[in-house]
Structure formats: structure tokens, C-alpha cells
Amino acid sequence: MPAARSGPADRTPIPLSVLTGFLGAGKTTLLNRLVADEGMADTALIINEFGEVGIDHLLVETANEDIVEMSSGCLCCTISGDLIRTLEDLVARRDAGEIRHFSRVVIETTGLADPAPVLHTIMNHNYLVYRYRLASVVTVVDAVNGMATLDAHAEAVKQAAMADRLVLTKTDLLGEGGSDGLDALKARLRELNPAAPMLDAARGEAVADRLFDAGLYDPEAKTPDVVRWLAAEAYDGNGHHEHEHEHDHGHDPNRHDEHIRAFCITTDQPIRATSLELFMELLRLQHGNGLLRLKGIVLLEEEPERPVVIHAVQHVFHPPIRLGQWPGDGARLTRLVCITRDVEKSQIEGLLEAFTDRLTDGGAAFRDMTLSLRPGGGR
Ligand SMILES: Nc1nc2c(ncn2[C@@H]2O[C@H](COP(=O)(O)OP(=O)(O)OP(=O)(O)O)[C@@H](O)[C@H]2O)c(=O)[nH]1
């Protein structure tokens, strides 16, 4: 196996994407196409079994029993032991130059899997959290059965709501008159998840670069591209996506979608660094389960010119990242985009206000009472 390493090991955290989607949605079919995609050349793909992905014709070299290299350069590996071991092993072999250098990891989850525990596993691991960072959640949705699956399964709704990219499969099977159904499915997905681009697999749109380069960092420039990542404008406007349980549009109130909220909270009130930590901690404790995704850029009182980027998937918060300057038009505004299940905008807004309110000195009471519990709390 050729080693692509020269000099010291690259310690830049490796972007990691999770590919999910309901049973039979078309994950394996998509992966089959992707392993031949040149855009996968620097990717290590983690799947459950080689048998599921018909890779034999693309196989170039077998590094060992768990890892094979495709003609595209994509490394394909099965889970050996558990996911933690596989990820540790991959990065150790890359550092040692035993396998081809890769700069992206994609993990395929099984059909019923909730992607959150996969991310928890990695982000709660003392070492892996520094070697990998979440780039994107990609959710495959079947255009033929998608509506029925969303009606029947809360997990499918959750998978769609927490995605950074949505891939529609089987649109080729819709035929004449199928476009109404497709439009309705797209509208439903858009309401669940206002910002995630939808890519049509049958039209060849689901290529590696469009699927997996959805993280905070611009893959070319390797600098944070917060404006693209937050896509805060997708949550603006008519408030339709913030559907605060009005039940005025004839939906079955038991539909799983009715539990999902997608909204953006904006404020020009700065927050102190310690208050931000407490805000995140309380958010995690009170609403972690329902916080499907949270992405944000935050105005700090101590250093208003250097915003902090925060990112959470349910109970797990990434280590915050401090930027050198404000992105885009430079407006110094805290923006939090949230996709939640059974958590209202007013609940998160209220919590943030408690920590930014000048009258209460930015939640001084909370801070003073709780800081002693968190020795050396900041990252
Ligand atoms: N016509 C058509 N068939 C598709 C497409 N995507 C998937 N299929 C078919 O749908 C079936 C299920 O696809 P898979 O790729 O196995 O689905 P999966 O999500 O991996 O399924 P699980 O591993 O069971 O969760 C297979 O028969 C595929 O051939 C598509 O875009 N068009």
C-alpha cells in the first residue's frame, strides 16, 4: 500500500460525515455510485459490510482484511470491533503512513439508526474529538415511499430534520404525474428542514463534493465559511417554519412533523464568555434531547470583534471555535439556528435573554451561583 505521508502527521481534525436514511431508502445504491466518484479520492468510507456495496469491480488493492482501496482512491473499510476502534485505527494507520492519506471520513449508519449516538460516541471521546470533527449529516429520502415513511416513523422525520444535505432517491420511478407527489414531499422536507439543500440522486446531483463538503470549513480555502454553514436566511421570513403549534392548516396533530421546530434567534446583545458556557450547559441539560441541531455565531462582550461559533447535536456540543473576525457583511449579531423536537423558540430565546439581559447583569445570579461548580470550565 503506498504511503502518502511525508513529514509529521497531519493533525488537522478530519471532517466526518454521517450518511443516514430509512430502511430501503437507497443508501447502499448511493454508496455504490459514490465509491467510483473521483470526488471520493481522499475519503475513508466506513460501512457495515463489504457485501452490501458491490465494490468488487472497483477494488484495486486490499490493505488488509478491513480496508480496501477503490480505483477512485476511496478507502472503504468495515467496522471492526466497534466504531471507536475503527476510527482510532484508521487515524493511527494514516498517521503511520500505513494506508493512503485521507482527509474525509463518511460513516454509513444502518437504516433505523439515529445518527445522534454515532456523533455522541465521537464527540465524547477524549482523543477522537480532537482528530475528527462533524462536517455533515446526509439523509437519504425515498421519493416513492418518503411520505408514507415520514407519516409512520418519527425516526425518519428526525433524520430529515437534522440533515445538512437531503438526497432524494427513486425520482426516476415516479413517472408521469409523479411530480405533484414529489413537490409535496419537497415542501414537507423544506418545512422540517429549511436550510438543507436537496439533491436528486437520479439526476446525478448527489456527488461527493456536494454531499460532504457541508461543514464549517470551506474545503478549498480551509477557512471557516460561517455564512454558508449557518444558512440563517433560510429560517427568515414568513415565520412559517417556526410553526408554533397553531394547528391551523389541517394537519393531523399526531403527525411527527408537528413536533419539529426550525427557527433562528437573533440578538445584538453581547454575552460574556462565562455566561455563554452556562447558557450552553443549561441548554444541554434542559433541552439536549430535543435539540436536534444547533448552529450559531455569538457576539461576546469581552471581545466583540471576535465571534464564537457554536455547534451542537442533541446533548453534544462541539468545542466552540473563536473566529478572527465577523463573516459576511460583518454585522455583529448573535444568530442561533435551531432545529428542535418539542422545544419552542421562546424557550431557547428566554434562556439566552437571561444571560444577555442588562437589567439582570447578564444572568449574574446564575453565574455567581454556579461558576464555583465548574473549575476551569472554559475550553
Ligand atoms: N429506480 C431506482 N431504484 C433505486 C434507487 N435507489 C435505490 N433503489 C432501489 O431501492 C432498493 C433499496 O435500495 P438500497 O440502496 O438497498 O437501500 P438502503 O437504504 O441501503 O437499504 P437498507 O440497507 O436496507 O437500509 C434497491 O432495490 C435499489 O435498487 C433509485 O434512485 N432509483
Side-chain angles (χ1 to χ4, degrees):
M1 174 67 49
R5 185 165 78 93
S6 61
D10 176 4
R11 294 277 159 170
T12 316
I14 303 163
L16 182 144
S17 294
V18 176
L19 179 73
T20 186
F22 210 69
L23 286 170
K27 296 176 294 298
T28 304
T29 308
L30 177 66
L31 284 175
N32 244 313
R33 262 189 238 146
L34 281 172
V35 289
D37 181 341
E38 280 178 12
M40 294 289 276
D42 62 349
T43 304
L45 175 65
I46 300 177
I47 56 179
N48 290 310
E49 278 175 69
F50 285 136
E52 289 187 8
V53 178
I55 54 171
D56 295 356
H57 61 295
L58 294 161
L59 191 147
V60 171
E61 219 175 323
T62 304
N64 55 54
E65 61 203 29
D66 312 321
I67 304 180
V68 296
E69 186 176 339
M70 309 291 136
S71 53
S72 65
C74 175
L75 291 173
C76 212
C77 77
T78 52
I79 296 188
S80 56
D82 57 16
L83 183 61
I84 290 285
R85 239 190 69 197
T86 305
L87 286 166
E88 282 172 347
D89 200 44
L90 263 180
V91 81
R93 289 201 218 172
R94 189 190 80 151
D95 289 350
E98 287 170 24
I99 53 172
R100 191 189 160 99
H101 187 276
F102 59 87
S103 49
R104 166 163 67 199
V105 169
V106 175
I107 302 172
E108 181 204 10
T109 66
T110 56
L112 280 170
D114 176 350
V118 172
L119 303 171
H120 289 193
T121 304
I122 299 154
M123 282 143 81
N124 280 329
H125 191 280
N126 287 341
Y127 179 63
L128 294 181
V129 72
Y130 293 105
R131 299 307 308 269
Y132 295 96
R133 66 179 154 73
L134 172 63
S136 59
V137 175
V138 176
T139 301
V140 176
V141 180
D142 175 334
V144 176
N145 301 311
M147 274 293 194
T149 306
L150 292 172
D151 284 344
H153 300 285
E155 274 317 312
V157 170
K158 184 178 175 187
Q159 286 174 346
M162 72 197 312
D164 295 284
R165 297 282 183 273
L166 290 161
V167 178
L168 291 167
T169 55
K170 309 188 194 178
T171 52
D172 55 300
L173 297 178
L174 290 172
E176 289 288 308
S179 66
D180 287 353
L182 184 59
D183 288 347
L185 176 63
K186 284 183 176 173
R188 185 168 176 182
L189 292 171
R190 184 53 66 235
E191 190 154 338
L192 285 172
N193 189 332
M198 285 183 224
L199 304 168
D200 187 333
R203 287 169 178 258
E205 293 172 358
V207 293
D209 296 346
R210 292 177 75 181
L211 289 177
F212 304 123
D213 291 339
L216 174 60
Y217 286 85
D218 175 337
E220 294 293 311
K222 297 233 164 46
T223 52
D225 184 354
V226 181
V227 175
R228 172 186 57 80
W229 180 70
L230 270 185
E233 70 289 349
Y235 298 77
D236 289 347
N238 56 19
H240 185 55
H241 301 304
E242 295 168 12
H243 48 102
E244 300 258 355
H245 269 202
E246 290 140 347
H247 298 308
D248 61 352
H249 32 56
H251 285 168
D252 172 1
N254 292 323
R255 254 171 58 158
H256 305 299
D257 307 32
E258 298 293 332
H259 296 268
I260 305 291
R261 305 281 177 281
F263 49 82
C264 180
I265 293 169
T266 306
T267 176
D268 60 3
Q269 294 294 310
I271 185 168
R272 290 183 191 161
T274 49
S275 298
L276 175 62
E277 274 208 37
L278 275 170
F279 165 71
M280 293 197 295
E281 187 65 11
L282 283 178
L283 206 55
R284 196 175 69 76
L285 292 172
Q286 288 183 0
H287 303 302
N289 224 9
L291 204 62
L292 302 184
R293 289 302 286 273
L294 175 140
K295 299 177 183 176
I297 184 162
V298 179
L299 172 62
L300 281 189
E301 193 164 310
E302 294 90 337
E303 271 191 288
E305 68 288 352
R306 295 190 62 207
V308 172
V309 171
I310 62 174
H311 184 191
V313 180
Q314 292 193 281
H315 293 96
V316 178
F317 279 74
H318 266 273
I321 296 170
R322 191 67 83 85
L323 301 183
Q325 59 189 36
W326 284 86
D329 62 6
R332 293 182 177 187
L333 280 180
T334 289
R335 271 162 289 181
L336 303 183
V337 301
C338 308
I339 297 189
T340 65
R341 186 159 69 183
D342 294 327
V343 182
E344 301 295 339
K345 179 178 183 181
S346 55
Q347 292 175 278
I348 298 183
E349 211 162 33
L351 196 59
L352 182 64
E353 268 168 22
F355 286 104
T356 51
D357 185 2
R358 291 200 188 288
L359 290 176
T360 63
D361 190 18
F366 293 113
R367 281 204 318 273
D368 297 346
M369 280 192 301
T370 46
L371 262 186
S372 58
L373 300 175
R374 299 174 50 78
R379 273 194 230 233

